Amino acid sequence: MTTPTHRTQSSNSGPSWFERCLKTCLVASLLAFAASPLAAQGTGSLTGTVIDTTSGKYLEGAEISVQGSSLTTTTARDGSFNLGGVPVGAQSVLVTYPGLDPKTESVNVASGQPTTVAVRLGSSEIFSLGEYRVSGSKEGMAQAVALQKISIQAKLVAAADQFGPISEGNVGEYLKFLPGLSIDYNANDARGVSLRGLNTSFTVVAVDGTPMAASSSVADTRRFEFEQIAMNNVETTELFKTLTPDLPASATGGFVNFVTKSAFDREATSLFSYDVSFVVPSTNFSFGRESGVWGSGKEFVIRPNVDLTYARRVNSKLGINFNYRFSERYDDSPRTELTWVTATPASAATAIWTAPRLSQYNVRTEQKITHRESFASKLDYLISDDTKLTVSGQWNWYDLYFHQRGPQLVLGNNATSSGGANPTFTSTAPIVRNDLLFRNKYGTTWHFNGTLSHQFSRDVKAWLTGYWSYADGQYRDVSKGFISSQAVLNTGLITSMSLANTMTEELPGISLLNGTSAVSVDTLRMLGNYTLSAGASYQSRPWTTHENKTGVSGHYSINLPQFPMPTTIQIGSAIDKTERDITRLTRRGNFTPITGATLDQYRDVGFTKDLAFGFGSYQTVDPYKIAEAFKSTLYTYAVDEYREFTEDNLSAYLRADVKPTRDLLLVGGVRWERREIDGLAVDRANVRSKLATTNLKYSEFYPSLTFKYTPAQLKGLVARGGVSRSVGHPDYADLVGTVNSESAPGAANGTIVEVSPGLKPYFTTNYDVAVDYYLKNSGVIGVALFRKDVKNFIIRRGMTAAELTAAAAEAGISAAEFSSGAIQYNGPKSSVEGVELSYSQNFSFLPKPFNGLNAQANFTLTDADGDNNDVLWAQQRGAASKTFNLVLGYRIGAWSITTSTNWTGDTVASGLVNSEWIVGTANANPALDTQLVSIKSDVMRTDIKVEYAISSRYKVYAGIQNIFGEGRWDYLRGYLPENSAVRLPRNHYQFGEPYYNVGIRGQF
């Protein structure tokens, strides 16, 4: 089946509009220069730098004000400032920065020329060893507050050391403490990020303003998965919440930008910092090698972590920064998994709401070793006083070995229930599978970007930025020496199986019968009681994805101080291209079934640990032995899915920053983007699968208006807000249909997914307002409100019988071969609104010993709404409606302690394939509707870190991650509002065991 081409055109062509805007801006700029004097009579200017006395770090965001006047400015990243229009003669200059003592400098300003002043700030509160400043969450918080305060739009800034220790360098673990943001976990891996209650695919992730490639191969999704990168080269993280014309229109939820480290961040000629540590799980604490972890020998459960940074200023013009990170972590994550009968019942009396029936119960252990390695470098070259070149690059390597083992207790669709709140389920035709999933997931991410800028004059600047980003994601098994397999318990050993307390206990009570005779549960533990067959029980699944992102952008900015009010005009244009391909293969074996003593020869003799929750030992196949014996039989291709997508984007923008009054700044303008998406999908293993293609074109204008209000009479108060229009590009799974005929003649299990011919992207109108009050002692209290109105939300509905017949006819296949079909189309409107509360405070004003305290806290509440139930649920995928964070720090002398707590409320599962987050079938009669939504339950984790500064070069520390061992219970709830009270347990994860971390860090 070929999906029809989609074309929507809603604007004039880009180049002509862009040319008109460019000409208008240039004419206005020339007129302004002609009308204004080059310099005001009787005034001069102040230039200089602001430096942290003890750390030598240039302070960005320090406030400079001339006392007795309204003249103020703030410092740039290199600590520099330039303030014009200063009256000649003796002046007092006040310099302030959060967490440091304010300082007043006396200067004598000369007419028509700059006066230079260098300011060094310190604090009587600082404990230092020699010239070394003990820094941590307190200093990170102060840096974040300073940068947030000077921001024009609503923006959050997080410093690298603001939240204490970060688990194995995963950037998601660092981001989760920001308000308005929630993490979508896969087991215990922070994978996707949801911003302001929107799907994770709406998150734009960039490095120094340039977008980074993503590498998901599990699903056809454009979302960025944070496990693929480390955070060793991140100086600060910016989260833009309101859009201005220079930001991508696709940043509907927000824009996450990682600002990389630079050698010019500090005054020192060279700086070397290090952090070496070891991490070990509490349940498997051991100094030696442990057997039975991977089936191929013994492994250390204590894993190393190394983080190194070297910055060198070769001379005043050239600086280079190097960062290297190596991290490993061992995880042991037991779980249980429940599956419920969701076939459409014959009557309401047997519906899942009134009589739930369990069809399968899995007991599993999951063990993982995660390896991350990253190298990054940044070069800053001042070609001249006015021209600067910055080039940065990074390489990331992610390598994960994981397995899941355990019994699958299959009751089937006809199990009986004893009834009551916690029933016992019984099957007279049970199946027990000995399941082993063993895989290696790895990938490389490269990212390079460079910017050439030139300052033509004090008020005119232009810059050119280019980037190239590449990511790949691989799943491998046989090529790494192992395989997944699934053996089945021999028939005749049991004839009946009952499971008790499945609704409330970590493990069910298992009762087995053979006829009327009781059978020991140990029967399930012995591998020799199973049979391993060919086909789906023995398969290899190598999956691969590649993505390239390339682009170049040019920008021009001119400051017009008196036209007719202070105005800055900025224009720019960009060309971007994204190329993605995905291949998912499944190869199956063909061999004579093996059982009994023969199968026992392939047992993993080292795997003797408790399986999960006290279940006891459990014998499984050795994935290496079985792969070596039967890998040559893997010649049947059961699945060969291929996806290919190409996106071309052309954009241009006009931005004007206007200051109508001293206290008010307005930022307005418009962005134009034209996007073309080509895609195709096919299953090459199915000879009757049809190639599905799509071509989607659209061009739109995205206007925005932002304000920042800083009333002089209410010093410390900053109000920001704005309204903007943005776009949500359809996810890849939404763009292409698929046709999969029956698996075998007469099976009648084929499926069709069709894309609506008129499919359009999402368009969102964003409303934001935020009020922050910056406290005197390095703190801020903030409240933000937002609303996002979404049009064209893409949803999926089932085909009618007539539609299925028509779709099959279009594909040239008999409708009798298909059991189901679905259509992806634009549904009704939806919206999400929310509130964010935040607070941070340095308590240095308190008497000793309480003056060493600092605190950070935030709470986010979002609420989604939709014109129908399908839109409502689709809107909420991957987003938590409630989050809370609390970070507490305390320092006394050489000792410091930091605790961090993150709570995330219930989250709708974010699976991008319909069956992953919705189970069951729809029915016109709500009493018979069996649809359920998969919910990831709330989870709270608390980390603690204690540190002692031995000298100016060495600090030792110890930490515990997830100190209370918090796990998670996932559940299913009713899809329809009238069934919302239904709660059925789905998964119990105990991936939250405490982890110990000890190390040493410092700098030279």
Side-chain angles (χ1 to χ4, degrees):
M1 178 185 68
T2 300
T3 304
T5 298
H6 319 312
R7 297 180 184 272
T8 61
Q9 194 74 21
S10 56
S11 67
N12 296 324
S13 61
S16 61
W17 170 85
F18 177 69
E19 289 173 0
R20 290 197 301 270
C21 291
L22 178 60
K23 291 177 181 179
T24 301
C25 294
L26 292 177
V27 170
S29 302
L30 293 173
L31 290 175
F33 275 123
S36 59
L38 294 178
Q41 297 298 317
T43 63
S45 63
L46 288 174
T47 63
T49 56
V50 180
I51 302 172
D52 185 328
T53 301
T54 49
S55 69
K57 185 174 183 178
Y58 292 110
L59 296 177
E60 180 181 6
E63 294 185 274
I64 316 297
S65 60
V66 178
Q67 293 185 311
S69 75
S70 61
L71 297 173
T72 63
T73 190
T74 56
T75 53
R77 180 173 178 177
D78 60 359
S80 65
F81 65 90
N82 191 323
L83 182 61
V86 182
V88 298
Q91 302 291 341
S92 293
V93 180
L94 176 64
V95 183
T96 60
Y97 185 85
L100 299 179
D101 294 334
K103 191 171 186 179
T104 301
E105 294 280 353
S106 297
V107 296
N108 192 20
V109 179
S111 177
Q113 61 185 29
T115 300
T116 302
V117 57
V119 183
R120 308 183 74 89
L121 298 182
S123 174
S124 57
E125 310 293 340
I126 295 173
F127 174 81
S128 60
L129 295 169
E131 297 182 352
Y132 176 69
R133 178 177 178 176
V134 180
S135 63
S137 63
K138 178 179 178 180
E139 286 68 35
M141 182 187 73
Q143 182 182 9
V145 169
L147 296 180
Q148 179 178 324
K149 186 177 182 181
I150 65 173
S151 171
I152 294 175
Q153 67 264 68
K155 182 176 77 171
L156 289 174
V157 179
D161 57 355
Q162 187 173 349
F163 305 123
I166 301 300
S167 174
E168 54 154 337
N170 189 320
V171 178
E173 295 291 340
Y174 166 69
L175 293 173
K176 71 182 182 182
F177 292 106
L178 299 179
L181 185 149
S182 62
I183 300 295
D184 180 31
Y185 280 89
N186 181 289
N188 59 344
D189 285 327
R191 181 165 289 182
V193 166
S194 168
L195 297 174
R196 291 193 154 182
L198 294 178
N199 192 287
T200 54
S201 61
F202 286 135
T203 303
V204 176
V205 177
V207 176
D208 294 329
T210 58
M212 201 171 198
S215 63
S216 175
S217 60
V218 176
D220 301 335
T221 175
R222 63 172 71 245
R223 82 167 178 175
F224 188 92
E225 297 187 346
F226 284 85
E227 60 191 10
Q228 73 184 63
I229 60 172
M231 61 167 294
N232 60 308
N233 68 324
V234 177
E235 174 67 19
T236 59
T237 298
E238 301 173 317
L239 175 56
F240 295 86
K241 296 185 176 182
T242 54
L243 294 180
T244 50
D246 51 308
L247 293 177
S250 55
T252 295
F255 185 74
V256 178
N257 183 44
F258 298 115
V259 180
T260 55
K261 296 178 180 178
S262 168
F264 285 96
D265 286 337
R266 289 171 173 79
E267 183 183 30
T269 302
S270 64
L271 177 71
F272 174 73
S273 61
Y274 68 93
D275 189 331
V276 180
S277 64
F278 294 89
V279 61
V280 61
S282 58
T283 56
N284 283 321
F285 188 94
S286 172
F287 290 103
R289 292 178 179 266
E290 290 292 307
S291 62
V293 179
W294 305 114
S296 61
K298 297 182 177 182
E299 290 282 355
F300 285 107
V301 294
I302 296 180
R303 313 303 294 192
N305 289 262
V306 177
D307 196 346
L308 306 174
T309 297
Y310 177 70
R312 174 73 178 179
R313 298 177 65 171
V314 180
N315 52 46
S316 61
K317 301 289 187 180
L318 180 65
I320 191 165
N321 192 88
F322 298 99
N323 302 275
Y324 174 76
R325 184 180 181 94
F326 174 95
S327 66
E328 288 191 334
R329 173 165 161 163
Y330 166 82
D331 287 282
D332 192 351
S333 308
R335 69 177 65 172
T336 59
E337 303 167 342
L338 293 81
T339 304
W340 299 88
V341 179
T342 55
T344 302
S347 67
T350 59
I352 196 168
W353 322 120
T354 55
R357 288 176 294 152
L358 186 69
S359 65
Q360 184 168 319
Y361 198 107
N362 300 339
V363 183
R364 291 174 176 263
T365 184
E366 179 175 354
Q367 293 172 291
K368 305 189 300 183
I369 289 183
T370 305
H371 171 100
R372 277 192 180 85
E373 199 167 356
S374 176
F375 176 81
S377 181
K378 187 172 188 178
L379 180 144
D380 294 281
Y381 179 41
L382 303 179
I383 300 174
S384 68
D385 292 341
D386 299 318
T387 306
K388 179 180 180 181
L389 174 66
T390 299
V391 179
S392 67
Q394 60 177 281
W395 165 84
N396 294 271
W397 172 254
Y398 173 77
D399 197 357
L400 167 67
Y401 281 85
F402 69 98
H403 71 239
Q404 298 172 8
R405 322 188 200 206
Q408 296 182 348
L409 309 175
V410 182
L411 301 173
N413 290 340
N414 298 312
T416 60
S417 171
S418 64
N422 189 23
T424 295
F425 299 96
T426 301
S427 173
T428 57
I431 299 173
V432 180
R433 300 189 183 101
N434 187 311
D435 187 61
L436 169 66
L437 172 67
F438 204 104
R439 305 191 82 180
N440 174 211
K441 178 184 179 182
Y442 62 92
T444 305
T445 301
W446 295 87
H447 189 90
F448 295 92
N449 60 275
T451 298
L452 177 65
S453 62
H454 181 73
Q455 194 82 36
F456 292 94
S457 67
R458 176 178 170 180
D459 294 315
V460 181
K461 180 181 180 181
W463 62 101
L464 183 70
T465 297
Y467 71 92
W468 173 78
S469 189
Y470 167 84
D472 63 58
Q474 324 271 353
Y475 278 92
R476 294 294 184 267
D477 39 51
V478 172
S479 62
K480 299 294 184 177
F482 49 80
I483 195 69
S484 297
S485 64
Q486 190 178 77
V488 178
L489 188 69
N490 295 331
T491 58
L493 292 178
I494 61 172
T495 58
S496 176
M497 177 169 61
S498 297
L499 301 180
N501 300 319
T502 56
M503 306 285 276
T504 58
E505 300 297 327
E506 293 175 338
L507 283 176
I510 305 174
S511 299
L512 306 175
L513 292 177
N514 189 338
T516 59
S517 301
V519 178
S520 172
V521 175
D522 289 338
T523 302
L524 309 181
R525 306 180 193 277
M526 311 305 292
L527 183 62
N529 291 331
Y530 293 81
T531 297
L532 179 63
S533 302
S537 296
Y538 181 84
Q539 61 185 10
S540 171
R541 293 185 295 163
W543 294 351
T544 304
T545 186
H546 306 91
E547 181 170 283
N548 276 290
K549 286 183 179 291
T550 55
V552 61
S553 63
H555 312 265
Y556 175 82
S557 174
I558 183 168
N559 184 35
L560 309 173
Q562 303 177 35
F563 176 67
M565 59 188 68
T567 301
T568 299
I569 301 293
Q570 182 175 315
I571 59 174
S573 182
I575 301 175
D576 301 275
K577 188 180 187 68
T578 299
E579 299 170 294
R580 165 79 73 91
D581 65 79
I582 304 170
T583 303
R584 290 189 287 267
L585 296 174
T586 299
R587 296 187 297 154
R588 292 176 176 168
N590 185 11
F591 54 84
T592 302
I594 53 177
T595 189
T598 303
L599 181 59
D600 193 64
Q601 294 176 10
Y602 298 100
R603 177 164 54 92
D604 185 348
V605 296
F607 185 71
T608 58
K609 67 182 291 294
D610 172 54
L611 186 68
F613 306 112
F615 183 86
S617 61
Y618 188 78
Q619 296 180 358
T620 66
V621 166
D622 186 317
Y624 289 88
K625 292 179 183 178
I626 203 75
E628 182 62 29
F630 297 104
K631 64 183 179 182
S632 61
T633 70
L634 293 166
Y635 52 78
T636 301
Y637 282 83
V639 178
D640 184 3
E641 294 180 342
Y642 180 72
R643 308 286 189 264
E644 183 179 293
F645 303 94
T646 301
E647 299 183 69
D648 292 286
N649 190 51
L650 175 64
S651 62
Y653 72 87
L654 167 66
R655 168 177 168 167
D657 296 33
V658 182
K659 202 162 187 180
T661 69
R662 184 184 67 176
D663 301 336
L664 178 63
L665 175 65
L666 298 177
V667 179
V670 64
R671 186 178 185 89
W672 171 85
E673 289 189 357
R674 184 181 68 195
R675 183 168 292 250
E676 180 174 2
I677 306 174
D678 292 298
L680 62 86
V682 66
D683 183 356
R684 296 175 295 202
N686 188 333
V687 295
R688 289 181 290 185
S689 176
K690 301 296 183 179
L691 178 68
T693 63
T694 190
N695 175 259
L696 183 62
K697 294 182 179 180
Y698 48 96
S699 61
E700 290 286 337
F701 288 95
Y702 304 97
S704 62
L705 177 63
T706 301
F707 75 87
K708 180 180 181 181
Y709 180 58
T710 53
Q713 64 273 24
L714 294 173
K715 191 172 180 62
L717 184 70
V718 179
R720 301 179 180 90
V723 59
S724 61
R725 188 170 187 255
S726 60
V727 62
H729 304 302
D731 217 346
Y732 294 137
D734 297 328
L735 286 171
V736 291
T738 57
V739 178
N740 294 312
S741 187
E742 56 189 356
S743 57
N749 59 355
T751 60
I752 294 180
V753 177
E754 193 173 52
V755 178
S756 170
L759 190 74
K760 298 178 181 179
Y762 305 74
F763 290 110
T764 303
T765 303
N766 311 282
Y767 306 93
D768 297 270
V769 63
V771 178
D772 297 319
Y773 183 72
Y774 292 88
L775 306 171
K776 181 179 179 181
N777 298 93
S778 180
V780 60
I781 300 174
V783 57
L785 302 173
F786 66 89
R787 179 181 173 89
K788 298 178 180 293
D789 292 327
V790 186
K791 289 177 56 179
N792 305 333
F793 208 99
I794 300 173
I795 58 177
R796 179 185 292 192
R797 66 165 176 83
M799 286 183 177
T800 65
E803 289 172 331
L804 182 59
T805 299
E810 183 183 348
I813 305 176
S814 170
E817 298 186 16
F818 297 93
S819 61
S820 64
I823 298 176
Q824 295 173 160
Y825 69 106
N826 293 113
K829 296 179 180 179
S830 66
S831 66
V832 60
E833 55 190 14
V835 58
E836 300 164 359
L837 307 175
S838 59
Y839 168 73
S840 63
Q841 177 72 75
N842 172 7
F843 294 98
S844 59
F845 57 90
L846 295 177
K848 293 183 178 180
F850 306 106
N851 60 339
L853 285 168
N854 66 85
Q856 306 168 66
N858 61 71
F859 173 75
T860 301
L861 174 66
T862 63
D863 181 45
D865 194 11
D867 286 356
N868 70 20
N869 201 50
D870 290 334
V871 170
L872 175 62
W873 282 113
Q875 173 77 71
Q876 298 179 77
R877 281 183 294 169
S881 61
K882 302 181 187 70
T883 61
F884 172 74
N885 299 289
L886 175 64
V887 180
L888 297 175
Y890 180 68
R891 179 182 300 155
I892 181 168
W895 291 92
S896 63
I897 182 171
T898 303
T899 67
S900 56
T901 298
N902 170 259
W903 174 77
T904 301
D906 291 356
T907 305
V908 179
S910 63
L912 297 174
V913 178
N914 203 41
S915 60
E916 290 184 7
W917 67 285
I918 302 176
V919 298
T921 56
N923 194 292
N925 180 358
L928 301 181
D929 192 290
T930 63
Q931 287 191 112
L932 303 119
V933 182
S934 179
I935 306 293
K936 295 183 178 181
S937 66
D938 71 307
V939 63
M940 178 182 289
R941 298 184 184 181
T942 298
D943 302 341
I944 186 170
K945 178 183 178 182
V946 179
E947 191 168 48
Y948 180 75
I950 299 174
S951 71
S952 61
R953 296 182 177 181
Y954 308 104
K955 297 170 70 176
V956 293
Y957 63 88
I960 304 177
Q961 297 167 0
N962 198 10
I963 189 171
F964 300 112
E966 182 75 12
R968 191 178 72 208
W969 288 84
D970 292 349
Y971 63 92
L972 299 169
R973 61 150 289 184
Y975 187 76
L976 297 177
E978 51 265 45
N979 298 324
S980 61
V982 174
R983 295 287 191 276
L984 295 176
R986 184 175 192 183
N987 299 319
H988 178 206
Y989 296 91
Q990 191 176 317
F991 55 76
E993 63 176 315
Y995 275 78
Y996 304 136
N997 181 237
V998 295
I1000 182 170
R1001 70 184 183 103
Q1003 62 184 34
F1004 294 86

